[in-house]
Amino acid sequence: MSTSRLFALSALARGGPMHGYQIRQAAQLDRTELWTDVKPGSLYSVLHRMAGDGLVEVVRSEKVGNPPERTVYAITERGRQELAALRDAALRRVRLLPDLVDLALQYTSDLSGAELVEAVAARREAVAGQITLFEAEFEAAKPDLTGLEPWIFEHCLARLRADLAWHDDLLNSLERNE
């Protein structure tokens, strides 16, 4: 599943023909880096590949002022079908994303109990910091959020809070076994 494809096709379906910089601005405005793995800089290559796949088409080139000439893309009917398929798959798919902490925990036998507690406690604080930052972003964004966007923030916060609770449980277990 290409989240960048899903985002770019969605942006074109919602906003009409756009050039890559406009789609990149939409990604930044939507704060997609907070809740997806879409990298705004990768959208240019995604658009180029989708044009080759017939999902988008070049409708014109623009040059306004000093910026370089920009290629304006529009979603095709095939692109709308792909968007529907990607969105349908994303709405139905449950995916447990790998977390490097699980791999690292597997290989901690060389750490003392105190060292492991210290490392997990530091990571727990990092997660707590992420929650604080995300809550601040949510508060700042609230006036501009529409539709289901508040639910996206809530979903991210719920996952972070669950991760924090897991760290607390792990720390309690490690401290009991020290």
Side-chain angles (χ1 to χ4, degrees), residues 138-159:
F138 188 18
E139 282 303 312
K142 274 184 181 178
D144 301 318
L145 299 178
T146 60
L148 295 174
E149 289 174 340
W151 287 102
I152 295 166
F153 272 96
E154 291 290 353
H155 185 222
C156 292
L157 282 167
R159 290 184 297 167

Side-chain angles (χ1 to χ4, degrees), residues 2 21 26 43 52 59-60 67 84 88 90 98 105 113 127 131-132 135 147 153 166 168:
S2 170
Y21 185 70
L43 292 170
V59 292
R60 67 182 176 276
D88 185 58
L105 286 172
V127 172
I131 291 171
T132 300
E135 286 171 337
F153 272 96
W166 176 84
D168 288 340

Side-chain angles (χ1 to χ4, degrees), residues 25-85:
Q25 286 179 311
Q28 291 168 330
L29 182 65
D30 286 349
R31 295 175 173 89
T32 57
E33 74 282 355
L34 293 175
W35 43 270
T36 72
D37 61 356
V38 172
K39 304 291 182 247
S42 71
L43 292 170
Y44 298 103
S45 60
V46 168
L47 285 167
H48 183 72
R49 283 192 305 275
M50 289 192 310
D53 294 342
L55 304 176
V56 299
E57 62 186 353
V58 174
V59 292
R60 67 182 176 276
S61 292
E62 292 180 349
K63 182 164 176 65
V64 178
N66 287 334
E69 187 171 70
R70 294 186 170 146
T71 303
V72 177
Y73 296 91
I75 190 169
T76 64
E77 184 54 39
R78 186 169 170 206
R80 289 185 189 285
Q81 293 168 359
E82 177 75 3
L83 170 59

Side-chain angles (χ1 to χ4, degrees), residues 10 14 37 51 76 78 96 103 133 137 149 159 169 178:
S10 297
R14 179 176 58 190
D37 61 356
T76 64
R78 186 169 170 206
L96 179 63
L103 179 60
L133 288 173
E137 284 282 341
E149 289 174 340
R159 290 184 297 167
D169 289 347
E178 261 193 334

